[in-house]
Amino acid sequence: MKKTVFVGALTAAAFGAGIAHAQTTLETVQNRGELICGSNTGQAGFGAPDSNGVWQGFDVGFCRALAAAVLNDPNAVTFVPLTSQTRFSALASSEVDVLARNTTWTFVRDVDLNLTFVGTNYYDGQGFMVTRELGVSSALELDGATVCIETGTTTELNLADYFRVNNMSYEPVPVDTAAEAQQQYLAGACDVYTTDVSALASSRAAFAEPGDHAILPEVISKEPLGPVVRHGDDQWADIVQWTLFALIAAEELGVTSANIEELKAGSNNPEINRLLGVEGGFGEMFGLDNEWAARAIAAVGNYGELFASTIGDQTPIGLARGLNAQWTQGGLLYAPPFR
C-alpha cells in the first residue's frame, strides 16, 4: 500500500493563484515616495541638521544622491538619528532602508549580523584627542589615562588591544553617544577622547577653542566606513553599491555637477556615456531608468565635490584627502568599471 505524502501546506488554489509577491526594498521605497536613511545623532560634516533643521554632511549627501537615483528627488529623504547601539537593529527591522553613518565594515557585522556592506566611502582609523595642556605628544605617553569611549563600537576592542600590546593601562569612561563623549571630555571627566580620526576632527571643529585640542599622530586601526543594507535583497544592494561607485567613478572620469548636462549629450569616452545613460542600458538591469547615475551626480556632485564641500581641508572639519584620494592620486578610492 502506497503512502500519501504531503509536501508543505500549499493547496491547489494556492498554486493556481500564485504566492503573494513580497515587496523588494526598491518597490517599498518607490511606493512610499521617500528614502529612509539611518544617520548619526549629530556629527558635523558627516550627518547633522543645520540651524534650519535641514540635514547636511558627507553621509547625508550620499543618501540624497541615492534618493535622486531612485526617486528623482534628492530631498525625498527622511533622516533617522541612530546611536551606535541602535543602528543595526533599526536596519535589520526595516526601520531604515540604508544605514549611512560612519559604520566600520568588519567580519562579524557583515557575516554574523546578516548585513551587507556595499563599499567604503571613507577610509578611516582610530585616533586619540587630548587637551594641549595635558602635555603629551604621543599615544604611547597615555599610560594610566582615563579614556572616554563610545560603547557598541569597534573602538572598544581596538583601545584594549592597543594598550595591552604596549603594556599600558587605562581607565575607560563609557558613554552612549558621541555628543556625550564630547561633553564628558570637555568637562574633564576623561583625559582622552578616542574614536575615528574623522569624528575627532568633526568634534574638535565644534569646540569653542579648537586650537586647545590636539589629535595625536598614532592611528591604531583600520576603519573602512561605508553604507550598509540588509542581507537578502541583492537588487537593492546593487543599487546602493553602484550609486556609491557612480560618485567615485565620476570624479575619476572628470564628470562634475558643472559639466554633467553637457556630457549627457554624449562624449567620445564610452565609459562616461555608459555612466550617464547615453548608451549601455545599465539602469534597466536593476530596475531603474538609464539616467539614475546622472541624477545622483547632479544632485551632490562627484565624490571629490561632495568631500570638499562637507569635510575637506577648506571646511571647518579640515580633512585632507589622504587615503580617500583616487587610486590615480595615491589613494585607495577605486570604482569597478562601468562596462
Coordinates of all heavy atoms in Angstrom, one line a residue, residues 150-225:
E150 N 32.9 55.5 23.3 CA 31.5 55.2 23.0 C 31.3 53.7 22.9 O 32.0 53.0 22.2 CB 31.2 55.8 21.6 CG 29.7 55.9 21.3 CD 29.4 56.7 20.1 OE1 30.3 57.3 19.6 OE2 28.2 56.5 19.6
T151 N 30.3 53.2 23.7 CA 30.1 51.8 23.7 C 29.4 51.3 22.4 O 28.8 52.1 21.7 CB 29.2 51.4 24.9 OG1 28.0 52.2 24.9 CG2 29.9 51.7 26.2
G152 N 29.5 50.0 22.2 CA 28.9 49.4 21.0 C 29.6 49.7 19.7 O 29.1 49.6 18.6
T153 N 30.9 50.1 19.8 CA 31.7 50.5 18.6 C 33.0 49.6 18.6 O 33.4 48.9 19.5 CB 32.1 51.9 18.7 OG1 33.0 52.1 19.8 CG2 30.9 52.9 18.8
T154 N 33.6 49.6 17.4 CA 34.9 48.9 17.2 C 36.0 49.5 18.1 O 37.0 48.9 18.3 CB 35.3 48.9 15.8 OG1 35.4 50.2 15.3 CG2 34.3 48.2 14.9
T155 N 35.8 50.8 18.5 CA 36.9 51.4 19.2 C 37.2 50.8 20.6 O 38.3 50.9 21.1 CB 36.5 52.9 19.5 OG1 35.3 53.0 20.1 CG2 36.4 53.7 18.1
E156 N 36.2 50.1 21.2 CA 36.4 49.5 22.5 C 37.5 48.4 22.4 O 38.4 48.4 23.2 CB 35.1 48.9 23.0 CG 34.0 49.9 23.4 CD 32.8 49.2 23.9 OE1 32.0 48.6 23.1 OE2 32.6 49.2 25.2
L157 N 37.3 47.5 21.5 CA 38.3 46.4 21.3 C 39.7 47.0 20.9 O 40.7 46.5 21.3 CB 37.8 45.3 20.4 CG 38.7 44.1 20.2 CD1 39.0 43.4 21.5 CD2 38.1 43.1 19.2
N158 N 39.6 47.9 19.9 CA 40.9 48.5 19.4 C 41.7 49.1 20.6 O 42.9 49.0 20.6 CB 40.6 49.6 18.4 CG 40.0 49.0 17.1 OD1 40.1 47.8 16.8 ND2 39.3 49.9 16.4
L159 N 41.0 49.8 21.4 CA 41.6 50.5 22.5 C 42.3 49.5 23.5 O 43.4 49.6 23.9 CB 40.6 51.3 23.3 CG 41.1 52.1 24.5 CD1 42.1 53.2 24.2 CD2 39.9 52.7 25.3
A160 N 41.5 48.5 23.8 CA 42.0 47.4 24.7 C 43.2 46.7 24.1 O 44.2 46.5 24.8 CB 40.9 46.4 25.0
D161 N 43.2 46.4 22.8 CA 44.3 45.8 22.2 C 45.5 46.7 22.2 O 46.6 46.2 22.4 CB 43.9 45.4 20.7 CG 42.9 44.3 20.6 OD1 42.7 43.6 21.7 OD2 42.4 44.0 19.5
Y162 N 45.3 47.9 21.8 CA 46.5 48.9 21.7 C 47.2 49.0 23.1 O 48.4 48.9 23.2 CB 46.0 50.2 21.2 CG 47.1 51.2 21.0 CD1 48.0 51.1 19.9 CD2 47.4 52.2 22.0 CE1 49.0 52.0 19.8 CE2 48.4 53.1 21.8 CZ 49.2 53.0 20.7 OH 50.3 53.9 20.5
F163 N 46.4 49.2 24.1 CA 47.1 49.4 25.4 C 47.7 48.1 25.9 O 48.8 48.1 26.5 CB 46.0 49.9 26.4 CG 45.9 51.4 26.4 CD1 45.3 52.1 25.4 CD2 46.4 52.2 27.5 CE1 45.2 53.5 25.4 CE2 46.4 53.5 27.5 CZ 45.7 54.2 26.4
R164 N 47.1 47.0 25.6 CA 47.6 45.7 26.0 C 49.0 45.4 25.3 O 50.0 45.0 25.9 CB 46.7 44.6 25.7 CG 47.2 43.2 26.1 CD 46.1 42.1 25.8 NE 46.6 40.8 26.1 CZ 45.9 39.7 25.9 NH1 44.7 39.8 25.4 NH2 46.4 38.5 26.2
V165 N 49.0 45.6 24.0 CA 50.2 45.4 23.2 C 51.4 46.3 23.7 O 52.5 45.9 23.7 CB 49.9 45.6 21.7 CG1 51.2 45.7 20.9 CG2 49.1 44.5 21.2
N166 N 51.0 47.5 24.1 CA 52.1 48.4 24.6 C 52.3 48.5 26.1 O 52.9 49.4 26.6 CB 51.7 49.8 24.0 CG 51.9 50.0 22.5 OD1 53.0 50.0 22.0 ND2 50.8 50.0 21.8
N167 N 51.7 47.5 26.7 CA 51.9 47.3 28.2 C 51.5 48.6 29.0 O 52.3 49.0 29.9 CB 53.4 46.9 28.5 CG 53.8 45.6 27.9 OD1 53.0 44.6 28.1 ND2 54.9 45.5 27.2
M168 N 50.4 49.1 28.6 CA 49.9 50.3 29.3 C 48.5 50.0 29.9 O 47.8 49.1 29.5 CB 49.8 51.5 28.3 CG 51.1 51.9 27.7 SD 51.0 53.5 26.8 CE 49.7 53.1 25.6
S169 N 48.1 50.8 30.9 CA 46.8 50.6 31.5 C 46.0 51.9 31.2 O 46.6 52.9 30.9 CB 46.9 50.4 33.0 OG 47.5 51.5 33.6
Y170 N 44.7 51.7 31.3 CA 43.8 52.9 31.2 C 42.5 52.6 31.9 O 42.2 51.5 32.3 CB 43.5 53.2 29.7 CG 42.6 52.1 29.1 CD1 41.3 52.3 28.9 CD2 43.2 50.9 28.6 CE1 40.5 51.3 28.4 CE2 42.4 49.9 28.0 CZ 41.1 50.1 27.9 OH 40.3 49.1 27.3
E171 N 41.8 53.7 32.2 CA 40.5 53.6 32.8 C 39.4 54.1 31.9 O 39.4 55.3 31.5 CB 40.5 54.4 34.1 CG 39.2 54.3 34.9 CD 39.1 55.2 36.1 OE1 40.2 55.6 36.6 OE2 38.0 55.5 36.6
P172 N 38.6 53.2 31.4 CA 37.5 53.6 30.5 C 36.4 54.4 31.1 O 36.1 54.2 32.2 CB 37.0 52.3 29.9 CG 37.2 51.3 31.1 CD 38.5 51.7 31.7
V173 N 36.0 55.4 30.4 CA 34.8 56.2 30.8 C 33.8 56.0 29.7 O 33.8 56.6 28.7 CB 35.1 57.7 30.9 CG1 33.9 58.5 31.3 CG2 36.3 57.9 31.9
P174 N 32.9 55.0 29.9 CA 31.9 54.6 28.8 C 30.8 55.7 28.6 O 30.3 56.2 29.6 CB 31.4 53.3 29.3 CG 31.5 53.3 30.7 CD 32.8 54.1 31.0
V175 N 30.5 55.9 27.4 CA 29.4 56.9 27.0 C 28.6 56.2 25.9 O 29.0 55.3 25.2 CB 30.0 58.2 26.5 CG1 30.7 58.9 27.7 CG2 30.9 58.0 25.3
D176 N 27.4 56.7 25.8 CA 26.4 56.1 24.8 C 26.5 56.8 23.4 O 26.1 56.2 22.4 CB 25.0 56.2 25.3 CG 24.8 55.2 26.5 OD1 25.5 54.2 26.5 OD2 24.0 55.6 27.4
T177 N 26.8 58.1 23.4 CA 26.8 58.8 22.1 C 28.0 59.7 22.0 O 28.7 60.0 23.0 CB 25.5 59.7 22.0 OG1 25.7 60.8 23.0 CG2 24.3 59.0 22.2
A178 N 28.3 60.1 20.7 CA 29.4 61.0 20.5 C 29.2 62.3 21.2 O 30.2 62.9 21.8 CB 29.6 61.2 19.0
A179 N 28.0 62.8 21.3 CA 27.7 64.1 22.0 C 28.1 64.0 23.5 O 28.7 64.9 24.1 CB 26.3 64.5 21.8
E180 N 27.7 62.8 24.1 CA 28.0 62.6 25.5 C 29.5 62.5 25.7 O 30.1 63.0 26.7 CB 27.4 61.4 26.0 CG 27.6 61.1 27.5 CD 26.9 59.8 28.0 OE1 26.2 59.2 27.2 OE2 27.2 59.5 29.2
A181 N 30.2 61.9 24.7 CA 31.7 61.7 24.8 C 32.3 63.1 24.8 O 33.2 63.4 25.6 CB 32.2 60.9 23.7
Q182 N 31.9 64.0 23.9 CA 32.4 65.3 23.8 C 32.2 66.1 25.1 O 33.1 66.8 25.6 CB 31.8 66.0 22.6 CG 32.1 65.5 21.3 CD 31.2 65.9 20.2 OE1 30.6 67.0 20.3 NE2 31.1 65.1 19.1
Q183 N 31.0 66.0 25.7 CA 30.6 66.7 26.9 C 31.5 66.2 28.1 O 32.0 67.1 28.8 CB 29.2 66.5 27.2 CG 28.2 67.1 26.3 CD 26.8 66.7 26.5 OE1 26.5 65.8 27.3 NE2 25.8 67.2 25.7
Q184 N 31.7 64.9 28.2 CA 32.5 64.4 29.3 C 34.0 64.8 29.1 O 34.6 65.1 30.1 CB 32.4 62.9 29.3 CG 31.0 62.3 29.7 CD 30.7 62.6 31.1 OE1 31.5 62.9 31.9 NE2 29.4 62.5 31.5
Y185 N 34.4 64.8 27.9 CA 35.8 65.1 27.6 C 36.1 66.6 27.9 O 37.0 67.0 28.6 CB 36.1 64.8 26.1 CG 37.4 65.4 25.6 CD1 38.7 64.9 26.0 CD2 37.4 66.5 24.8 CE1 39.9 65.5 25.5 CE2 38.6 67.1 24.3 CZ 39.8 66.6 24.7 OH 41.0 67.1 24.2
L186 N 35.2 67.5 27.5 CA 35.3 68.9 27.7 C 35.1 69.2 29.2 O 35.7 70.2 29.7 CB 34.3 69.7 26.9 CG 34.6 69.7 25.4 CD1 33.4 70.4 24.7 CD2 35.9 70.4 25.1
A187 N 34.4 68.4 29.9 CA 34.2 68.6 31.4 C 35.3 68.1 32.2 O 35.3 68.3 33.4 CB 32.9 68.0 31.8
G188 N 36.3 67.4 31.6 CA 37.4 66.9 32.3 C 37.2 65.6 32.9 O 38.0 65.1 33.8
A189 N 36.1 64.9 32.5 CA 35.8 63.6 33.1 C 36.8 62.5 32.6 O 36.9 61.4 33.2 CB 34.4 63.2 32.8
C190 N 37.5 62.8 31.5 CA 38.5 61.9 30.9 C 39.6 62.7 30.4 O 39.5 63.9 29.9 CB 37.9 61.0 29.9 SG 37.1 61.8 28.5
D191 N 40.8 62.1 30.3 CA 42.0 62.8 29.8 C 42.0 62.7 28.3 O 42.5 63.6 27.6 CB 43.3 62.1 30.3 CG 43.4 62.0 31.8 OD1 43.2 63.1 32.4 OD2 43.7 60.9 32.3
V192 N 41.4 61.7 27.7 CA 41.5 61.3 26.3 C 40.1 61.0 25.7 O 39.3 60.4 26.4 CB 42.4 60.1 26.1 CG1 42.7 59.9 24.6 CG2 43.7 60.3 26.9
Y193 N 39.9 61.4 24.5 CA 38.7 61.0 23.8 C 39.2 60.2 22.6 O 40.1 60.7 21.8 CB 37.9 62.2 23.3 CG 36.7 61.9 22.4 CD1 36.0 60.7 22.5 CD2 36.2 62.9 21.6 CE1 34.9 60.4 21.7 CE2 35.1 62.6 20.8 CZ 34.5 61.4 20.8 OH 33.4 61.1 20.1
T194 N 38.7 59.0 22.4 CA 39.2 58.1 21.3 C 38.0 57.7 20.4 O 36.9 57.3 21.0 CB 39.9 56.9 21.8 OG1 40.4 56.2 20.6 CG2 39.1 56.0 22.6
T195 N 38.2 57.8 19.1 CA 37.2 57.4 18.2 C 37.9 57.5 16.8 O 39.1 57.7 16.7 CB 35.9 58.2 18.2 OG1 34.9 57.5 17.4 CG2 36.0 59.6 17.8
D196 N 37.1 57.4 15.7 CA 37.7 57.5 14.4 C 38.3 59.0 14.3 O 37.7 59.9 14.8 CB 36.7 57.3 13.3 CG 36.2 55.9 13.3 OD1 36.8 55.0 13.9 OD2 35.1 55.7 12.7
V197 N 39.4 59.1 13.6 CA 40.1 60.4 13.4 C 39.1 61.4 12.8 O 39.1 62.6 13.1 CB 41.4 60.2 12.6 CG1 42.0 61.6 12.2 CG2 42.4 59.4 13.3
S198 N 38.3 60.9 11.8 CA 37.4 61.9 11.2 C 36.4 62.4 12.2 O 36.1 63.6 12.1 CB 36.6 61.2 10.0 OG 35.8 60.1 10.5
A199 N 35.9 61.6 13.1 CA 35.0 62.0 14.1 C 35.7 62.9 15.1 O 35.0 63.9 15.6 CB 34.4 60.8 14.8
L200 N 36.9 62.7 15.4 CA 37.7 63.6 16.3 C 37.8 65.0 15.7 O 37.6 66.0 16.3 CB 39.1 63.0 16.6 CG 39.1 61.7 17.4 CD1 40.6 61.3 17.6 CD2 38.5 61.9 18.8
A201 N 38.1 65.0 14.4 CA 38.2 66.3 13.7 C 36.9 67.0 13.6 O 36.8 68.2 13.8 CB 38.7 66.1 12.3
S202 N 35.8 66.3 13.5 CA 34.5 66.8 13.5 C 34.1 67.4 14.8 O 33.6 68.6 14.9 CB 33.4 65.8 13.1 OG 32.1 66.2 13.3
S203 N 34.4 66.7 15.9 CA 34.2 67.2 17.3 C 35.0 68.4 17.6 O 34.5 69.4 18.1 CB 34.5 66.1 18.3 OG 33.7 64.9 18.1
R204 N 36.3 68.4 17.2 CA 37.1 69.5 17.5 C 36.7 70.8 16.8 O 36.8 71.9 17.4 CB 38.6 69.2 17.2 CG 39.6 70.3 17.5 CD 41.0 69.8 17.3 NE 41.3 69.5 15.9 CZ 42.5 69.2 15.4 NH1 43.5 69.2 16.2 NH2 42.7 69.0 14.1
A205 N 36.2 70.6 15.6 CA 35.8 71.8 14.9 C 34.6 72.5 15.5 O 34.4 73.7 15.4 CB 35.4 71.4 13.4
A206 N 33.8 71.8 16.3 CA 32.7 72.3 17.0 C 33.0 72.9 18.4 O 32.2 73.6 19.0 CB 31.6 71.3 17.2
F207 N 34.2 72.7 18.9 CA 34.6 73.2 20.2 C 34.8 74.7 20.1 O 35.1 75.3 19.1 CB 35.9 72.6 20.6 CG 35.8 71.1 21.0 CD1 37.0 70.4 21.2 CD2 34.6 70.5 21.1 CE1 36.9 69.0 21.5 CE2 34.5 69.1 21.4 CZ 35.7 68.4 21.6
A208 N 34.6 75.4 21.3 CA 34.7 76.8 21.3 C 36.2 77.2 21.0 O 36.4 78.3 20.4 CB 34.3 77.3 22.7
E209 N 37.1 76.4 21.5 CA 38.6 76.7 21.3 C 39.2 75.5 20.6 O 39.9 74.7 21.3 CB 39.2 77.1 22.6 CG 38.7 78.3 23.3 CD 39.0 79.6 22.5 OE1 39.9 79.6 21.7 OE2 38.3 80.6 22.8
P210 N 39.0 75.3 19.3 CA 39.6 74.1 18.7 C 41.1 74.0 18.8 O 41.6 72.8 19.0 CB 39.2 74.2 17.2 CG 38.0 75.2 17.2 CD 38.3 76.1 18.4
G211 N 41.8 75.1 18.9 CA 43.2 75.1 19.0 C 43.8 74.6 20.3 O 45.0 74.3 20.4
D212 N 42.9 74.4 21.3 CA 43.4 73.9 22.6 C 43.4 72.4 22.6 O 43.8 71.8 23.7 CB 42.4 74.4 23.7 CG 42.5 75.9 23.9 OD1 43.5 76.5 23.4 OD2 41.6 76.5 24.6
H213 N 43.1 71.8 21.5 CA 43.0 70.3 21.5 C 43.8 69.7 20.4 O 43.9 70.3 19.3 CB 41.5 69.9 21.3 CG 40.6 70.5 22.4 ND1 40.4 69.9 23.6 CD2 40.0 71.7 22.4 CE1 39.6 70.6 24.3 NE2 39.3 71.7 23.6
A214 N 44.5 68.7 20.6 CA 45.4 68.0 19.7 C 45.0 66.6 19.4 O 44.6 65.9 20.3 CB 46.9 68.0 20.2
I215 N 45.0 66.2 18.1 CA 44.8 64.9 17.7 C 46.2 64.2 17.6 O 47.0 64.7 16.8 CB 44.0 64.8 16.4 CG1 42.6 65.4 16.6 CG2 43.9 63.3 15.9 CD1 41.8 65.4 15.3
L216 N 46.5 63.2 18.4 CA 47.8 62.6 18.4 C 48.1 61.9 17.1 O 47.2 61.5 16.4 CB 47.9 61.7 19.6 CG 47.7 62.3 21.0 CD1 47.7 61.3 22.1 CD2 48.7 63.4 21.2
P217 N 49.4 61.7 16.8 CA 49.7 61.2 15.4 C 49.4 59.7 15.2 O 49.2 59.3 14.1 CB 51.2 61.4 15.4 CG 51.7 61.5 16.8 CD 50.6 62.1 17.5
E218 N 49.3 58.9 16.3 CA 49.1 57.5 16.1 C 47.6 57.2 15.6 O 46.7 57.7 16.1 CB 49.3 56.7 17.4 CG 50.7 56.7 17.9 CD 51.2 57.9 18.6 OE1 50.4 58.8 18.8 OE2 52.4 57.9 18.9
V219 N 47.6 56.4 14.5 CA 46.3 55.8 14.0 C 46.4 54.3 14.3 O 47.3 53.6 13.7 CB 46.1 56.1 12.6 CG1 44.8 55.5 12.0 CG2 46.1 57.6 12.3
I220 N 45.6 53.8 15.1 CA 45.8 52.4 15.7 C 44.9 51.3 15.0 O 45.0 50.2 15.5 CB 45.6 52.4 17.2 CG1 44.1 52.6 17.6 CG2 46.5 53.4 17.9 CD1 43.8 52.4 19.0
S221 N 44.2 51.7 14.0 CA 43.3 50.6 13.4 C 42.9 51.0 12.0 O 43.2 52.1 11.5 CB 42.0 50.5 14.2 OG 41.2 51.7 14.1
K222 N 42.4 50.0 11.3 CA 41.8 50.2 10.0 C 40.2 50.4 10.2 O 39.6 49.5 10.8 CB 42.0 49.1 9.0 CG 43.5 48.9 8.7 CD 43.7 47.8 7.7 CE 43.3 46.5 8.3 NZ 43.6 45.3 7.4
E223 N 39.7 51.4 9.7 CA 38.2 51.6 9.9 C 37.6 52.0 8.5 O 37.4 53.2 8.2 CB 37.9 52.8 10.9 CG 38.6 52.6 12.3 CD 38.0 51.4 13.1 OE1 36.8 51.1 12.8 OE2 38.7 50.9 13.9
P224 N 37.3 51.0 7.7 CA 36.7 51.3 6.4 C 35.2 51.5 6.7 O 34.5 50.7 7.1 CB 36.9 50.0 5.6 CG 37.1 48.9 6.7 CD 37.7 49.6 7.9
L225 N 34.8 52.8 6.4 CA 33.4 53.2 6.7 C 32.6 53.2 5.4 O 33.1 53.6 4.4 CB 33.4 54.6 7.3 CG 34.3 54.8 8.5 CD1 34.2 56.3 8.9 CD2 34.1 53.9 9.6

